Amino acid sequence: MSKFGSPVAAATDGAAEASGPAPRMFIKSFGCQMNVYDSQRMADVAIGEGYRETERIEDADLVILNTCHIRERASEKVFSELGKIRELKEARATAGLSTTLVVAGCVAQAEGAEIRRRQPAVDIVVGPQSYHRLPSLLRAERGVETEFPPESKFDHLPPSTPAAVRARGVSAFVTVQEGCDKFCSFCVVPYTRGAEASRPAADILAEIGALARAGAREFTLIGQNVNAYHGRSESGGVARLADLLAAAARVPGVLRLRYSTSHPLDMSEDLIRAHAENEKLAPHLHLPVQSGSDRILAVMNRRHGVRGYLEIVARVREARPDIAFSSDFIVGFPGETDADFEATLALAREVEFASAYAFKYSPRPGTPAADAAAQVDIATKERRLATLQQLLEAQRQAFNSATVGRRFAVIFDKPGRRPGQLIGRTPYMQSVHADVDASRMGELTEIEITGVKPNSLAGRVVTQPARRSREVA
Ligand code: SF4
């Protein structure tokens, strides 16, 4: 692996190899699942332009940095990365090789032309809504595209080639919705990704069908606020996320469905019911809460309270008793007192999360919370973060330990360290290692959990078919 990290998997179909050396691309992706998906779609665009993937940035004629603005000091980190790539570009130029350097993603959207002014080695700056314009930018070898274009990029992006899908494995992300109208006071997404927009259901189902025909089996429907999805239905009406999940479950080849990331306000009754009715929907829900204090939730502009969140958890559990929850927390939000933080701990204890991410609040320029006067000092933030993480880690371990002896349908998607071993995921997103015949890759395989390791589970194949139960999702 290159010192710059691993690229997005994006094999070509071999045609370019057969017809002579093709230019090579290296895409490095930061941040969320949306960026992973976007990187794959940019790879599809580059494949269409004749590129093939390389795992070594040093060999790349095209380098795309797909950036994330959620990271702390995101812009500085991007410029530091760009400085290293500039040296590489200069070394390649000395050897008579040209390199096109592209900055994409949310930092590109936020900084625009300023990126090329500060780092002249950058040739192209392209925002998340303009990836379909990459072919013309690549042909021109320079340019800045950070407007929100009137047309949808999804109508113009080329489909993934079957070889690219195979290289990415059996788990696929499909963006169904982008942007956010919620304007939480700490978040840059509404500014970098724009207003909520949903893709038509028919387009999404066609994409899922094509991915399934190429071998994808597990699908995560993604969006910044995915459960606000409201796309055009196949009959011309409005499809909600529950409708889309029901239709996706009927696509041949689809074995398991997930969706992420959700806002509590958009956990509608039909979506909760989908957890009871949709057999392919995994019993796992990532539902960020951010804080357990109503006062802090109000200044975060989350537009839900603690009681409302707990009611949703209870209703989903009623619909699907074996559901597991994960969440996101921010500690040390401006104005957070010890009592507010205690309320967050109390909420976490009440829900008992299977896993969760906790972060220290750090200001994002341009967001309302960044200018709040009552910033919490760093020592307090660190102390609270350590306390919350300790609790969440204990809950994660307890959840994992409780799976020992249980049986799950696992989808294996990559080889393990030892010959004969494969790695897959339970319906709860836990990584499982087991001795499984390689022919089971991409199938639902019944596994009994035999042990727990710090970050994964060990399992064995159940030879005697287990009684069909709701446990085997
Ligand atoms: S709902 Fe999520 S994406 Fe939207 S503003 Fe809030 S944190 Fe950001």
Side-chain angles (χ1 to χ4, degrees), residues 170-172 208 216-221 245 248-249 251-259 278-284 320 407-412 424-430 432 442-447 468 470-473:
V170 299
S171 295
I208 291 173
R217 292 290 173 261
E218 181 175 43
F219 294 83
T220 305
L221 309 189
L245 287 163
V251 174
V254 172
L255 296 181
R256 181 168 288 155
L257 291 164
R258 306 178 186 277
Y259 62 94
N278 190 329
E279 292 276 325
K280 294 192 178 164
L281 187 55
H284 179 263
R320 182 81 203 236
R407 292 176 176 187
F408 299 108
V410 171
I411 300 179
F412 288 94
R425 282 185 190 277
T426 69
Y428 296 127
M429 296 286 285
Q430 299 148 301
V432 186
E443 307 282 330
L444 287 172
T445 302
E446 261 185 69
I447 293 291
R468 191 79 198 151
R470 207 56 214 266
E471 187 171 34
V472 181

Side-chain angles (χ1 to χ4, degrees), residues 37-191:
Y37 175 84
D38 283 349
S39 291
Q40 292 174 348
R41 302 309 305 269
M42 282 191 280
D44 295 337
V45 170
I47 290 169
E49 293 299 296
Y51 287 87
R52 65 184 170 89
E53 188 198 17
T54 174
E55 295 199 345
R56 284 169 39 88
I57 190 171
E58 296 82 355
D59 296 337
D61 306 285
L62 168 64
V63 175
I64 301 178
L65 221 54
N66 193 11
T67 61
C68 169
H69 208 286
I70 299 286
R71 306 167 83 209
E72 200 174 350
R73 302 193 313 281
S75 300
E76 291 99 287
K77 285 176 182 163
V78 168
F79 282 108
S80 144
E81 188 87 12
L82 288 173
K84 287 186 253 171
I85 299 174
R86 189 202 63 194
E87 288 171 22
L88 208 67
K89 187 169 172 171
E90 286 170 355
R92 280 174 52 88
T94 308
L97 299 167
S98 72
T99 315
T100 303
L101 176 53
V102 179
V103 179
C106 291
V107 174
Q109 186 67 43
E111 303 279 332
E114 175 69 9
I115 293 179
R116 283 185 58 199
R117 198 189 61 71
R118 275 184 65 184
Q119 180 45 273
V122 174
D123 301 291
I124 293 167
V125 178
V126 60
Q129 304 310 329
S130 305
Y131 296 149
H132 58 299
R133 295 189 176 175
L134 260 178
S136 57
L137 289 166
L138 288 173
R139 280 173 219 145
E141 295 181 347
R142 56 181 38 243
V144 176
E145 282 276 5
T146 52
E147 296 301 313
F148 289 102
E151 77 280 8
S152 164
K153 67 182 172 193
F154 293 108
D155 293 339
H156 301 275
L157 287 168
S160 305
T161 65
V165 176
R166 282 194 295 277
R168 291 166 193 164
V170 299
S171 295
F173 295 127
V174 176
T175 291
V176 304
Q177 176 279 335
E178 283 196 291
C180 184
D181 296 342
K182 295 284 189 296
F183 288 91
C184 298
S185 62
F186 52 83
C187 183
V188 291
V189 164
Y191 310 99

Side-chain angles (χ1 to χ4, degrees), residues 344-407:
T344 295
L345 294 176
L347 179 138
R349 283 191 201 101
E350 181 155 355
V351 176
E352 293 191 51
F353 293 99
S355 64
Y357 303 95
F359 306 91
K360 296 191 293 266
Y361 172 73
S362 74
R364 298 291 181 266
T367 58
D371 300 324
Q375 299 289 334
V376 175
D377 66 88
I378 184 75
T380 304
K381 281 186 200 174
E382 280 175 356
R383 197 179 62 246
R384 289 177 187 166
L385 181 66
T387 305
L388 179 58
Q389 283 179 331
Q390 200 177 16
L391 172 63
L392 296 172
E393 177 58 14
Q395 292 186 343
R396 187 182 74 86
Q397 287 182 14
F399 181 80
N400 285 349
S401 297
T403 60
V404 174
R406 291 179 65 189
R407 292 176 176 187

